[in-house]
Structures are given as C-alpha cells and as structure tokens.
Amino acid sequence: MIEDAESQHHDSQQTRDNPQCITNNRRDDWTAMADDIRRQTSDHATLTESSQKSDHATILAAGEAPSKKGSHDDASHDSGHSPDTSLDVQAHGPGSTAGSAQAASHEPSASATQQIAPTPTSPTVGSSAPTASPEVHPTGALQYVAPSTYLRPVSRAAPAVGLATGSPTASRPATRDRRLMPSPLDKEQIEGLRAIRAFLKVRTSYDVLPLSYRLIVFDTSLLVKKSLNILTQQGIVSAPLWDSKTSTFAGLLTTSDYINVVQYYWQNPDALAQVDQFKLNSLREIERAIGVTPIETVSIHPSRPLYEACRRMLESRARRIPLVDVDDETKREMVVSVITQYRILKFVSVNVKETQWLKKPLRDVNIGTFTDLATAHMDTPVMDVIHQLVKRNISCVPILDREGTVLNVFEAVDVIALIKGGDYDNLNLSVGKSLAMRSEDFPGIYTCTLNDRLDTIFDTIRKSRVHRLVVIDEASQLKGLLSLSDILDYTLNSPLGDADEQ
Ligand code: AMP
C-alpha cells in the first residue's frame, strides 16, 4: 500500500489525468481564498494589483485559505524552519499564470499534521516540545544538545556486529575471506537499498503529491523585495517562476537567489536603491555580475519515475525539483508542483518497509561529509558564513564553540529572515545575533552519531521535517554532516555488488 498516495487517491486521480481541470473546478474556492489573502495582508497587494490588471491573472487556491503565517505546508519548503504540515501542490495551468504571484492552496493532510509533533525520539537539539519554542540563548546558541541516542531506543543502540570499524570485531585486521564474504548485515543492507531503488523506479512524482496542496508561483516581473515578503508570510523558501510574456516556466527561485542578491549588495553597497528595484527577471544579471551559478532550471515531467527525478537532483545538486507538464491542447508548459529531497525520502520511509533493513552503523557506510567541514563561531560575521555557503555550495554551516562543541547551525534559509523587509543592515550582525532572530517555531537541529543507522534515520525523516543531521560524538563535538542529498546519493549510488545496479 502506498500510504501517501492512498490518502490522496480520490481527487488526485483527476489531477493526474488533467491537472488543469482541478483548477477550473475549484475556481470559486480559489477566488474566495484570493479575497482572504487580500484581506489578510497588504503585502499581498502585489498579487492583487497584478491579478486585477490581467484578465487571466488568478490567485489559485483550493481548500482552505492559508493562514497568514504558519501555513507551512509548502512543497517548496524543503529547507525552511517550519514544521512539516506537508506537501502542497498545485495545479497550475497556462491559462492562469499571468499574476505576479499565484497561490494554489490545499489542506494539509492529517498525516502531515501528525509529523509536526516531535516524538520522544526526535533527535532535535534544543527543542523537544512541539509547542514550546527552543530555548535559545541571546547569542543564538541553543541551550543544550540532545543526545543522538534519541534516534532509537537505547536497547537497540548496542554496537553493530560485523565490519564496524569501531566495533571490537572490526578493530581486528580483516582477513581476505571476511572481505569477500558479505556479512548478514551487509546483505540485509543491500537488500534494503535494492528495495528502495525498485520502489523509486515504479513510482512517479505524481504518486508523491497529496490530495490537497498549494502552489505559489511568482511571475518574473515581481520585485525581489515583494517576493521575499510573500515567502516569509507564506512560510515557504522557494517558488517556481513564470514568465507571463512567453507563458513559460522560468526556473525555480530558491534561497540561493536571495543569497546572490545579498552578495551583489555587499559588493555594491551604494546600490541599495537599485537593489530595491530588482525584479525577479533581473536575477540572471545579478548572477552574471557576481559570477555565480545561474538560477536552477532543472525540471521533470511528473509522470517520470521518481528514480529519474532523484538522479536529476543529484546531478544538478538541486535540493528540489519542479514538476512541469505540457498542456495537451495549448502545448504550453504548466507547473504542476515542486518536490523536494525531503518529500521523496519521507515517501520512501512511509512506504518501503525495507528501510528497516538498513542497519549498518554510519561509521561503516560511505555516506556524509567528515572532512574539510565549513564551520563558524557565534561571533563570526554572518556575511562570512554566507560567503562559505556560496563558495562551498552547501546549505548549512555548523556553529561551534571554541572547543568544537556544536551549538547551532546557520542555514541558508536563515538569510531570508535576515533580509526580509529589505533591511540589509542585518548582514552586519554576528552569527549569534542573527540566529537569535529566528522565528519561535524553529524546530531545532537534528544530530546523530556514527553509531546510528539509516533505519532509524529514515524513521526520523518519517516523523519530522529533517533537512540534515549533524554528526557528533558523545561530547557533542562535531564529527561530520549527513544531509538529505548524502542519503539520497547513498541510496541510489552505493554499489550493490551486482551487475544490474542501475
Ligand atoms: P547540502 O548542502 O546539505 O545539500 O549538502 C551538500 C553536500 O555538502 C553534502 O555532501 C553534505 O554532506 C556537504 N556539506 C553540507 N554542509 C557542509 C559543511 N558545513 N561543510 C562541509 N560539507 C558540507
């Protein structure tokens, strides 16, 4: 049984056959939601103005209107701080794409809501209760680090047998025979990986989409500043772009694009007035001016196998991928949704029971980054950390004290909160002060140790919106980083020892 797909089957079958028809059927609801949005916030004036100017501009919304803040159920919100109320999708057709921004909103699923609540086993640092905000020190340090053994019941935390380099058996030199003969643990791990790959090959991106969802699409003529306000108010961190002049999908707007604007401003501090007037369609010029990677344009058809979507993400180092379909009649592109690495891995964890076979400790698995880690301290200027994020193309930098103890993590998405409202002065802050500005619902950071295993990490992904795990030792000293892209890469690319690996 495909649990995520099961709950959405009834409506989504129609969506899959003809995404546009949902748009049409629910037009009344969407119009009502558009009115709600207009009432709720003046920052959405851009939406309203643009919608009114254009005959076919629409704020698309099905189901509930999102709350002003904390709707949080956005497919594009992979790296955000909001809890996982889950996927949000969108049926978005060519006839309804001319607004400066469009929102197709859908009710969060019950299962998704459940995932908000951290369980006693949640490996968060500094935050264990769903309603209590993490206890954050004024400098931005979370007050304590929960032991990573929370990842699994203590009874299962015994050192794994077999080839564990840290285990008593592994400390002995491996004999030739031992190396040639996989242990039962190895075999089980391989079967687990095989099952996940097989699953990803027979499921499509459509299968991941829930019954109800929302999509916010930005027209490329929207001001960068206004797009930031909308993102923060809707609790999302990315949005597909739509060029209404050509009626084409124009790429995916992500935190990297805002970081590029920040860098441009940093290099040209006198150009603040100009920066204020940047539209989304000037992002490419900004990228050229500062010499960085262009905006992500990778996309995939929603009926392609998930395996292919994963491959495409890994190849492009994208952490999310837009699903773009072509309307049969008009032959125009339409953005259907955005799926994230998190969403895919959660889908796997919910539906592939063989994830429970992945019992090799991390120390025995070639996964994650353990050398040359980019780190910073609480008093590091936040701009230095932003430069590291760009230079290394990473999404987070662990923040350590002088002894190497993990205090917190600065994430690329934190940049959005820093510059919202066009206040670039915040870039002069220290990391500590900038982390103290995080919203109260920041769920904390997730940690694990080298003794932890992918079975329990998949459990954690199923229960909570995890973007990465910081690998620490018993003294909370930093050992490495395990990001979702590492897990995806290992899941798809680690050798299985046979010819038909792909
Ligand atoms: P991510 O940016 O989280 O998608 O990670 C991309 C790759 O960079 C993964 O292989 C991570 O393990 C690695 N990585 C993430 N953060 C850091 C960091 N602070 N220092 C070094 N490598 C990192």
Side-chain angles (χ1 to χ4, degrees):
M1 183 176 83
I2 306 303
E3 292 181 21
D4 269 2
E6 188 85 357
S7 63
Q8 63 191 261
H9 180 73
H10 179 67
D11 254 20
S12 57
Q13 195 56 50
Q14 190 181 16
T15 315
R16 289 167 200 177
D17 295 337
N18 181 5
Q20 182 61 43
C21 77
I22 289 254
T23 304
N24 295 335
N25 291 348
R26 295 185 177 171
R27 178 59 58 95
D28 289 347
D29 289 344
W30 292 337
T31 308
M33 182 264 192
D35 288 343
D36 276 355
I37 289 181
R38 287 173 201 138
R39 274 195 299 275
Q40 281 169 12
T41 168
S42 56
D43 287 309
H44 285 106
T46 307
L47 307 186
T48 312
E49 284 158 18
S50 305
S51 300
Q52 285 170 346
K53 278 180 206 153
S54 165
D55 281 340
H56 49 260
T58 321
I59 298 170
L60 302 176
E64 277 178 0
S67 61
K68 180 179 173 187
K69 184 174 187 314
S71 194
H72 297 314
D73 53 340
D74 192 273
S76 50
H77 188 178
D78 189 28
S79 302
H81 294 157
S82 311
D84 174 23
T85 53
S86 209
L87 205 37
D88 4 87
V89 193
Q90 59 294 10
H92 173 72
S96 55
T97 51
S100 284
Q102 300 164 350
S105 164
H106 316 262
E107 300 161 16
S109 67
S111 64
T113 309
Q114 232 178 343
Q115 292 144 23
I116 296 173
T119 65
T121 58
S122 292
T124 57
V125 172
S127 171
S128 55
T131 49
S133 51
E135 300 206 37
V136 180
H137 191 270
T139 61
L142 293 167
Q143 248 181 5
Y144 56 89
V145 177
S148 65
T149 46
Y150 281 172
L151 269 175
R152 60 171 180 254
V154 174
S155 59
R156 295 170 64 198
V161 293
L163 303 178
T165 49
S167 72
T169 46
S171 60
R172 294 196 299 266
T175 64
R176 183 176 164 72
D177 281 347
R178 281 175 62 81
R179 265 181 282 132
L180 288 177
M181 283 171 43
S183 70
L185 201 64
D186 288 326
K187 284 188 194 156
E188 211 181 10
Q189 186 96 356
I190 286 171
E191 287 312 311
L193 292 174
R194 219 189 284 281
I196 298 174
R197 289 181 200 180
F199 176 81
L200 290 171
K201 284 175 184 170
V202 296
R203 298 292 160 198
T204 71
S205 302
Y206 268 138
D207 294 326
V208 184
L209 303 184
L211 170 62
S212 58
Y213 55 82
R214 70 175 175 172
L215 175 68
I216 294 175
V217 178
F218 288 154
D219 192 287
T220 50
S221 62
L222 189 68
L223 283 176
V224 170
K225 200 164 91 174
K226 294 216 169 185
S227 71
L228 257 177
N229 290 346
I230 296 168
L231 288 186
T232 46
Q233 294 205 351
Q234 295 297 316
I236 57 173
V237 295
S238 77
L241 295 176
W242 186 262
D243 184 337
S244 51
K245 288 201 182 110
T246 54
S247 286
T248 51
F249 166 64
L252 187 67
L253 179 74
T254 68
T255 46
S256 305
D257 300 300
Y258 294 106
I259 289 176
N260 290 343
V261 174
V262 163
Q263 295 209 105
Y264 181 87
Y265 167 73
W266 202 249
Q267 290 171 18
N268 308 277
D270 297 335
L272 183 57
Q274 184 197 351
V275 171
D276 251 14
Q277 292 310 309
F278 279 151
K279 292 185 173 175
L280 296 178
N281 55 18
S282 42
L283 287 173
R284 284 191 187 283
E285 286 152 44
I286 296 170
E287 286 156 4
R288 263 197 298 274
I290 59 172
V292 295
T293 329
I295 196 168
E296 286 168 18
T297 50
V298 60
S299 67
I300 193 158
H301 192 281
S303 60
R304 299 299 305 156
L306 266 181
Y307 190 83
E308 200 178 312
C310 294
R311 283 230 158 280
R312 219 167 268 194
M313 275 194 271
L314 288 173
E315 280 156 18
S316 61
R317 293 199 69 176
R319 297 166 188 105
R320 65 199 72 222
I321 187 164
L323 308 179
V324 179
D325 204 344
V326 176
D327 184 76
D328 283 345
E329 284 177 18
T330 63
K331 303 295 173 212
R332 283 180 176 173
E333 288 180 320
M334 51 187 186
V335 184
V336 173
S337 184
V338 177
I339 53 168
T340 62
Q341 290 180 340
Y342 172 75
R343 177 56 46 183
I344 294 173
L345 289 171
K346 181 177 165 184
F347 187 62
V348 166
S349 70
V350 168
N351 294 296
V352 185
K353 65 178 186 323
E354 290 87 349
T355 51
Q356 295 308 304
W357 295 356
L358 305 175
K359 291 195 187 308
K360 287 183 79 171
L362 294 181
R363 67 172 72 256
D364 294 343
V365 177
N366 187 14
I367 185 172
T369 304
F370 295 91
T371 55
D372 194 22
L373 296 169
T375 62
H377 300 292
M378 285 295 180
D379 55 2
T380 306
V382 75
M383 227 17 236
D384 288 1
V385 178
I386 293 175
H387 288 318
Q388 291 202 68
L389 292 173
V390 176
K391 200 167 139 208
R392 307 280 298 267
N393 192 8
I394 51 178
S395 66
C396 81
V397 172
I399 310 303
L400 313 179
D401 68 9
R402 301 289 163 192
E403 280 74 51
T405 306
V406 178
L407 299 176
N408 212 322
V409 168
F410 186 91
E411 302 176 22
V413 291
D414 288 318
V415 174
I416 291 190
L418 273 184
I419 59 168
K420 76 174 177 203
D423 186 2
Y424 291 87
D425 284 348
N426 286 335
L427 298 171
N428 294 312
L429 294 176
S430 65
V431 167
K433 293 224 167 86
S434 72
L435 290 179
M437 291 171 62
R438 269 177 177 158
S439 89
E440 286 197 353
D441 57 9
F442 178 71
I445 62 172
Y446 289 77
T447 62
C448 66
T449 72
L450 287 169
N451 292 325
D452 287 307
R453 311 174 313 207
L454 279 173
D455 60 343
T456 49
I457 289 174
F458 269 108
D459 282 346
T460 306
I461 289 172
R462 191 173 67 247
K463 291 173 189 157
S464 316
R465 190 184 278 275
V466 185
H467 303 297
R468 65 193 62 78
L469 293 117
V470 182
V471 187
I472 55 173
D473 64 12
E474 287 67 23
S476 298
Q477 300 275 302
L478 179 69
K479 303 309 276 181
L481 270 157
L482 183 64
S483 71
L484 296 188
S485 45
D486 294 324
I487 297 174
L488 205 57
D489 184 32
Y490 172 77
T491 304
L492 262 67
N493 293 329
S494 60
L496 302 182
D498 55 19
D500 58 334
E501 282 177 8
Q502 298 304 306

